[in-house]
Amino acid sequence: MSKMTITDLSNLEGKVVFVRVDFNVPLKNGEISDDNRIVAALPTINYLKNQGARVVLFSHLGKVDHKDSEKCAADKAKNDMKFVAPRLAALLNEEIVYIDETRGDKLTNAVKNLKNGQVLLMQNTRYEKGESKNDPELSAYWASLADAFVMDAFGSAHRAHASTYGVPELLNKEGKPTALGFLMQKEVEGLNRCVDITDDNRPFVAILGGAKVSDKILVVEKLIEKADKVIIGGAITCTFLKALGYPVGNSRYEADQLDFALKCVEEAKAKNKLVLPIDHVIANDFAMPIDVRVTDGVVIPDGFERLDIGPRTREYYAKILANAKTVFWNGPMGVFENPLFADGTISICETLTKLTKEKGTFTVIGGGDSAAAAAQFGYKEGFSHVSTGGGASLELIQNDGHLPGIDVIADK
Ligand code: ADP
Ligand code: MG
């Protein structure tokens, strides 16, 4: 790792360490439905506590609209960090200092009075209008309280905000240490296996599925450039098939992405890289699937929608994947939320976890829904790395390992 990491920091006793965590947990009426993100930050927090640091945690939580004052008040009420504080305390098994402000005397004094090994959590950083704009004054205020900065919010590392970029940038200038936390380090190491591809790590196979080509143009381009094979599944299949002139029945496709899809196909074809499904699971209707069938070939008949890869495609893909040394997967193969259309996604999970176990294939999932599918079907632990950041993981791949929140951290 070329960047400073948390274990490179020394003499932390009594130092105020600002840690940008990702506590952007799903909330419903103030109840946390999934505390994975808080749990994922614990190794970094506990390490700093054990070193005797005074630990100040800050994170965004949901969105706050600062343009409309009524909406702003409602967003603040909904995304109040006070909902997170008790869960953090429970997970740490100790009292924490919770400050319901993002700047001012109350926060400044609480930071000054923090004891060694104690943890402070401040209010949602997005209560500040300047957070998302990387406002210099806001960054300067936070930086003035900190002796060191640790970045551990991978899901926010693709944003150059005050808390992810402005603060560490200022601390670097002042000669104060900045480093990646344990969670960030794991993400960077895992995902970089798909960035710095050496001959030893090939064949490198990318599996791309999911909902929309338009969300993923840059990552598709990058993977066609880097991977030895790019396997396609999910709803994006139909945009590729349509571009090639195949009938897609009633399936959704993106008319404005056909040129791009064709360009990809041509580029990839020249290099014999792009792999498309050879059969599909189709149904009369996505919402009310009464008539569910498997196609004979690639053509989707009128009156039907493509909703998963078919059984022959599952076998075909498993064969291609069997030779891979590195695999990056983004996007489910079908509408896995419905068990009728989950087999394609399950087969990818099964194939990849088996390869990891039996052959040591390095398998990476980047993408929120793909990771959720792997977790739902019980395969998550079998992958080499499952990224916690959907958007951030794709941006890291398309930017050759660079993200603002990583780049700003001091080099070793
Ligand atoms: P990720 O979050 O892993 O990047 P996406 O957000 O791109 O993945 O896509 C996930 C969604 O794509 C899933 O909710 C799934 O239901 C949907 N999807 C996959 N295949 C199809 C299809 N054929 N038709 C409609 N939706 C699909
Ligand atoms: Mg998604």
Side-chain angles (χ1 to χ4, degrees):
M1 174 84 44
S2 62
K3 290 288 173 187
M4 287 284 284
T5 63
I6 187 166
T7 48
D8 297 321
L9 301 177
S10 50
N11 304 326
L12 288 171
E13 177 97 35
K15 296 276 165 58
V16 175
V17 182
F18 264 54
V19 187
R20 177 51 161 99
V21 285
D22 181 1
F23 285 173
N24 183 29
V25 289
L27 281 175
K28 235 188 205 148
N29 304 320
E31 287 287 325
I32 299 171
S33 57
D34 178 353
D35 65 4
N36 262 323
R37 287 186 164 160
I38 309 175
V39 172
L42 296 177
T44 289
I45 299 170
N46 281 320
Y47 177 84
L48 293 171
K49 276 169 53 62
N50 290 336
Q51 299 287 314
R54 295 145 71 201
V55 185
V56 177
L57 307 176
F58 62 155
S59 170
H60 80 280
L61 177 60
K63 286 192 177 131
V64 177
D65 182 348
H66 288 277
K67 286 191 199 98
D68 176 335
S69 64
E70 237 170 76
K71 184 112 200 322
C72 182
D75 285 346
K76 282 184 172 176
K78 193 172 80 181
N79 298 313
D80 193 321
M81 200 58 89
K82 75 176 180 197
F83 300 127
V84 173
R87 183 68 64 95
L88 173 65
L91 288 167
L92 285 171
N93 202 17
E94 65 175 35
E95 271 185 38
I96 62 158
V97 180
Y98 175 63
I99 301 296
D100 61 358
E101 287 178 359
T102 41
R103 72 166 111 186
D105 289 346
K106 198 164 148 192
L107 178 63
T108 305
N109 291 331
V111 172
K112 287 197 173 131
N113 293 329
L114 210 57
K115 296 189 189 78
N116 294 3
Q118 223 179 2
V119 174
L120 180 153
L121 173 66
M122 75 171 79
Q123 184 53 277
N124 178 1
T125 54
R126 287 204 183 148
Y127 271 42
E128 291 284 347
K129 195 176 164 187
E131 155 73 333
S132 304
K133 295 181 180 145
N134 190 14
D135 176 55
E137 211 183 302
L138 177 63
S139 300
Y141 166 67
W142 281 333
S144 74
L145 300 175
D147 297 315
F149 174 86
V150 170
M151 174 63 175
D152 218 18
F154 182 69
S156 300
H158 57 320
R159 308 270 180 249
H161 291 173
S163 65
T164 57
Y165 196 88
V167 173
E169 193 186 33
L170 277 171
L171 291 179
N172 285 338
K173 279 187 193 147
E174 291 166 13
K176 292 178 179 163
T178 59
L180 300 177
F182 290 117
L183 185 152
M184 279 296 291
Q185 192 181 345
K186 190 163 165 277
E187 289 280 5
V188 171
E189 280 167 0
L191 289 164
N192 271 345
R193 289 281 292 258
C194 302
V195 173
D196 306 318
I197 289 284
T198 60
D199 283 346
D200 291 346
N201 300 334
R202 290 186 186 277
F204 171 36
V205 181
I207 310 170
L208 290 171
K212 284 198 205 144
V213 177
S214 52
D215 285 348
K216 301 182 177 174
I217 293 180
L218 295 173
V219 84
V220 172
E221 274 180 336
K222 180 58 75 177
L223 288 169
I224 288 177
E225 174 195 321
K226 288 207 143 168
D228 298 293
K229 291 271 182 227
V230 178
I231 289 176
I232 301 289
I236 66 170
T237 303
C238 294
T239 303
F240 285 94
L241 293 181
K242 185 80 185 172
L244 283 165
Y246 288 107
V248 297
N250 294 356
S251 308
R252 277 195 271 161
Y253 68 91
E254 291 159 273
D256 57 344
Q257 298 299 326
L258 293 176
D259 289 345
F260 171 73
L262 195 61
K263 193 188 98 186
C264 291
V265 173
E266 277 165 359
E267 233 175 80
K269 222 189 204 160
K271 299 172 192 153
N272 192 22
K273 276 190 185 180
L274 200 74
V275 186
L276 287 163
I278 50 175
D279 65 348
H280 320 278
V281 178
I282 57 172
N284 60 312
D285 183 57
F286 157 84
M288 290 269 269
I290 294 162
D291 189 355
V292 180
R293 301 182 190 181
V294 173
T295 59
D296 280 334
V298 74
V299 171
I300 299 158
D302 279 344
F304 285 85
E305 283 181 61
R306 191 224 84 104
L307 295 165
D308 196 7
I309 53 173
R312 285 202 296 132
T313 304
R314 300 203 290 265
E315 266 179 46
Y316 174 41
Y317 285 2
K319 246 183 225 154
I320 296 171
L321 289 164
N323 298 319
K325 287 237 175 72
T326 309
V327 181
F328 177 78
W329 175 28
N330 168 263
M333 296 291 98
V335 185
F336 71 92
E337 295 89 343
N338 184 335
L340 288 171
F341 313 117
D343 286 347
T345 302
I346 292 173
S347 80
I348 293 290
C349 288
E350 206 171 86
T351 304
L352 295 184
T353 51
K354 195 161 173 258
L355 287 170
T356 300
K357 192 169 172 208
E358 291 175 3
K359 287 185 157 179
T361 310
F362 199 84
T363 51
V364 178
I365 303 184
D369 292 290
S370 326
Q376 185 188 321
F377 300 127
Y379 290 96
K380 198 175 158 193
E381 303 308 321
F383 284 84
S384 311
H385 181 66
V386 180
S387 178
T388 56
S393 63
L394 295 190
E395 282 196 32
L396 184 145
I397 298 286
Q398 77 206 25
N399 299 331
D400 292 313
H402 293 283
L403 291 179
I406 299 171
D407 292 351
V408 73
I409 298 302
D411 291 319
K412 264 193 196 174

